[in-house]
Amino acid sequence: MKKLIFSVVVLMLVASGTTYAQSSSDQMKERKELAKASKKELNEKASKAAVKEAKKLTKEGWKTAPGALPIEKQLDRSYTMQYQYDSDGFPLYIMAEAMSTGGNYDAAKMQALELAKQNLAGQIQTEVTALIENTVANEQMDQGDAASIARSVMASKNLISQSIGRVVPVVETYQVVNGNNRQVLVRIAYSMNMAKSAAKKAIREDLEKRGEELHGKLDELLGW
């Protein structure tokens, strides 16, 4: 299946950050908004793009679990969240997706969610690396300090993934393959503010483990 893969430009580290303590509150707020949106979507017509992709997926054998929103409604929500921006023009969400196959639905779903979180962590890691390289290019940071931070960024993917915590799928669909196995596809949307908090926490932890004293400089240069 040639699935649609979202490519979201994550310009996250030039906006104001949030503290890690706020992440839990932000996460609960996000989930309540998703639940409210799901109820509203039941009475609304899906977009033409969502209906078109849903028909394609259905033809290929993809279906939703009992009680879940129809595929076209899920896709419609995914599209809407993908194109939400804050007042400064930055995306409100990072989008990621992953697919996994297992002997039962729950196992395949959990693995797909974990892979999607790794996808998110990779996006965050890439953007932080690019920002540091740009900072060095502008001669705002000492080369030695930049190298130390870059090492922490490269080593922080797993820590970022752990800091992301539990995520809620925006799209969740499956098909039966290889007899009776379940192949599950999930797309997740993650708050940009929470992503910044996850990156900040992960890089700080790695710097502390290395004994580096660069927190203040990192905060100042990257707008954390």
Side-chain angles (χ1 to χ4, degrees):
M1 179 193 70
K2 294 182 179 179
K3 63 181 185 296
L4 176 62
I5 300 179
F6 293 109
S7 175
V8 179
V9 179
V10 187
L11 302 175
M12 65 182 190
L13 295 173
V14 294
S16 60
T18 57
T19 63
Y20 182 69
Q22 291 175 312
S23 295
S24 178
S25 176
D26 290 342
Q27 192 172 46
M28 290 302 296
K29 181 179 179 181
E30 180 182 350
R31 290 177 184 173
K32 288 180 180 179
E33 289 175 351
L34 285 175
K36 182 178 179 180
S38 296
K39 293 179 181 179
K40 184 179 179 181
E41 286 165 6
L42 287 174
N43 298 318
E44 293 183 349
K45 187 176 181 180
S47 67
K48 290 183 178 180
V51 171
K52 182 178 180 180
E53 187 182 359
K55 287 182 178 179
K56 181 176 181 293
L57 291 174
T58 301
K59 187 176 180 180
E60 293 172 351
W62 293 89
K63 58 188 74 175
T64 59
L69 284 172
I71 296 179
E72 63 269 21
K73 295 288 188 179
Q74 295 185 41
L75 292 171
D76 202 39
R77 178 172 61 183
S78 177
Y79 294 158
T80 299
M81 296 183 74
Q82 183 186 5
Y83 293 107
Q84 287 186 22
Y85 301 89
D86 64 19
S87 58
D88 296 316
F90 295 103
L92 289 179
Y93 299 97
I94 300 177
M95 309 294 294
E97 71 176 36
M99 186 164 51
S100 182
T101 303
N104 63 73
Y105 185 88
D106 290 338
K109 175 184 173 181
M110 291 302 295
Q111 179 63 22
L113 285 173
E114 187 60 33
L115 291 173
K117 285 170 59 178
Q118 288 290 331
N119 185 320
L120 283 177
Q123 290 186 52
I124 296 169
Q125 183 186 54
T126 298
E127 293 303 321
V128 175
T129 301
L131 184 59
I132 290 174
E133 290 176 348
N134 184 63
T135 301
V136 173
N138 292 331
E139 299 181 353
Q140 296 178 358
M141 182 183 292
D142 176 81
Q143 289 283 349
D145 290 346
S148 294
I149 294 175
R151 283 196 298 270
S152 290
V153 173
M154 294 305 295
S156 66
K157 184 175 180 179
N158 288 335
L159 286 175
I160 292 174
S161 180
Q162 293 167 16
S163 298
I164 287 173
R166 185 181 176 187
V167 296
V168 179
V170 178
V171 175
E172 180 182 328
T173 183
Y174 77 96
Q175 64 177 343
V176 179
V177 297
N178 300 327
N180 200 36
N181 290 327
R182 299 295 188 271
Q183 186 174 55
V184 179
L185 168 68
V186 297
R187 289 177 185 164
I188 57 177
Y190 197 68
S191 164
M192 186 66 72
N193 282 338
M194 292 169 63
K196 288 186 291 186
S197 295
K200 179 178 179 179
K201 180 176 183 293
I203 295 170
R204 276 179 173 270
E205 286 183 1
D206 192 76
L207 286 172
E208 289 174 358
K209 183 174 65 176
R210 295 173 185 271
E212 303 283 0
E213 299 291 340
L214 298 172
H215 305 140
K217 185 174 294 188
L218 190 67
D219 290 351
E220 180 182 352
L221 293 177
L222 302 187
W224 287 343

